[in-house]
Amino acid sequence: MQPVLFSVSYAGLWGQAQLSLEEFIPHAAELGYGAVELTAKRPHLSPLDYPLSRVRELRAICEKSEVEVACVAAYTDFCGGAEAAEVPFVEMQIAYIETLSRLAEELGCHLVRVFTGYERPGMTPAQAWNRTCDALREACRRVEPLGVTLGIQNHHDVAVHSRALLELLQDIDCPNCRLMLDPWSPALRGEDLYQTACELAPQVVYTTLADYVRLPRFHYEPNLVNYRRVEPDLARAVPMGEGDIDSASFLRGLQEGGYDGPVAYEMCSPLRGGGSMSHLDACATRFLQWCRTQDFI
């Protein structure tokens, strides 16, 4: 498998140390990564800040650093804006994806990550499903001439369960729509990671790992002089191998299902140990060591 470092880890979005993309790419190479995933919003690869001329400069940095762009990560929610029907939110997001696909093509990358949508009051599950499916189908059609595949990452509410994800993929029915399956979501929701990975592996083109501990939550009830259990648990990011996510079983399931593609690492929430540059680097290096120990790279 090919290790990839996700630039969101160094975007400063959760108070951690921040690097520009021009700094991040050679830094990833210095840490031992031969491929990166680029965050497609500010402060990184926002279409507002990266015209094609600047993207070409970015590609030159990649070539000099001997780093390839494995994925461009879009941020979408196709159920967003349903309460304001007069505003073309879905059209805007399809245009965003199409623009990112052109930037990805310029970077020599053929994979753009997308999310589905968050369910909302006033929108039935069927409406959310159809809205998401229609949007992704049109987006796939528009980026197909560019040789770009859209990879659905299993994070948002619509089709988040593995069975639902396969159903959505079947409804979209586009050859350039595949899955970017992560262990984080199914682990927190109680799916069997090995079994899920085995079953979905034929449709998977990318996976992203991070480790988390589950911290039980309680509220104190003074009238009872006792505590009330509160669901769900708090999930906190920790260095690879210190948490509760059985990523090793997940990757073995993917392998047994025939997957041998990119395996990305992300630090995309407050991290145990803080967000200093030295700690981020230590965690990124530890991920590579963990992959070698588990014989995944």
Side-chain angles (χ1 to χ4, degrees):
M1 295 186 183
Q2 177 193 42
V4 179
L5 187 59
F6 192 2
S7 76
V8 74
S9 307
Y10 292 82
L13 299 174
W14 295 273
Q16 76 270 43
Q18 181 176 331
L19 295 174
S20 67
L21 283 184
E22 289 77 5
E23 296 168 326
F24 167 74
I25 290 167
H27 189 69
E30 291 171 2
L31 292 173
Y33 287 86
V36 294
E37 179 178 355
L38 303 184
T39 305
K41 64 178 180 180
R42 288 175 173 170
H44 286 172
L45 192 66
S46 168
L48 297 177
D49 303 322
Y50 277 86
L52 285 179
S53 59
R54 191 177 178 191
V55 172
R56 294 187 184 108
E57 294 172 1
L58 203 61
R59 179 165 184 167
I61 293 173
C62 289
E63 292 171 350
K64 182 178 180 181
S65 302
E66 297 183 342
V67 169
E68 70 171 284
V69 179
C71 180
V72 170
Y75 290 80
T76 57
D77 173 7
F78 295 111
C79 298
E83 70 284 356
E86 74 280 6
V87 182
F89 284 99
V90 171
E91 295 169 41
M92 290 182 210
Q93 292 181 83
I94 293 172
Y96 166 60
I97 291 170
E98 190 171 13
T99 300
L100 290 181
S101 297
R102 297 187 187 282
L103 300 187
E105 180 190 33
E106 194 67 36
L107 289 166
C109 172
H110 301 284
L111 179 64
V112 173
R113 188 279 307 276
V114 294
F115 295 131
T116 57
Y118 293 116
E119 292 185 353
R120 284 171 167 78
M123 179 181 285
T124 68
Q127 289 172 330
W129 182 282
N130 291 336
R131 182 179 170 110
T132 299
C133 189
D134 291 344
L136 283 172
R137 191 182 298 114
E138 179 173 353
C140 284
R141 287 199 302 265
R142 288 179 172 275
V143 305
E144 187 174 16
L146 301 173
V148 169
T149 292
L150 298 186
I152 303 174
Q153 197 168 14
N154 54 328
H155 280 199
H156 288 7
D157 300 340
V158 175
V160 73
H161 191 278
S162 61
R163 291 179 61 185
L165 195 57
L166 286 176
E167 191 79 9
L168 184 77
L169 196 64
Q170 181 177 339
D171 280 5
I172 294 168
D173 193 27
C174 291
N176 63 327
C177 188
R178 303 292 293 280
L179 302 183
M180 292 177 55
L181 187 71
D182 297 357
W184 167 80
S185 171
L188 293 180
R189 294 182 288 98
E191 289 191 48
D192 182 288
L193 291 182
Y194 175 81
Q195 187 69 26
T196 292
C198 281
E199 291 178 0
L200 272 63
Q203 301 297 335
V204 174
V205 294
Y206 199 94
T207 185
T208 303
L209 304 187
D211 209 352
Y212 292 82
V213 290
R214 298 181 66 147
L215 304 176
R217 299 168 55 235
F218 293 84
H219 283 173
Y220 182 59
E221 298 284 352
N223 293 336
L224 302 175
V225 196
N226 205 340
Y227 291 87
R228 173 172 53 85
R229 184 75 164 91
V230 178
E231 297 284 354
D233 297 338
L234 171 66
R236 189 181 190 204
V238 297
M240 201 67 194
E242 293 185 9
D244 300 324
I245 310 296
D246 188 4
S247 295
S249 292
F250 175 81
L251 288 183
R252 289 191 181 94
L254 283 182
Q255 282 184 322
E256 292 194 18
Y259 180 78
D260 187 29
V263 52
Y265 180 60
E266 66 178 2
M267 294 171 277
C268 63
S269 62
L271 179 64
R272 176 193 285 170
S276 68
M277 185 67 68
S278 61
H279 187 56
L280 296 179
D281 289 351
C283 289
T285 301
R286 178 168 178 163
F287 176 74
L288 291 176
Q289 294 169 344
W290 179 87
C291 287
R292 293 189 187 100
T293 300
Q294 302 291 332
D295 292 326
F296 292 124
I297 60 173

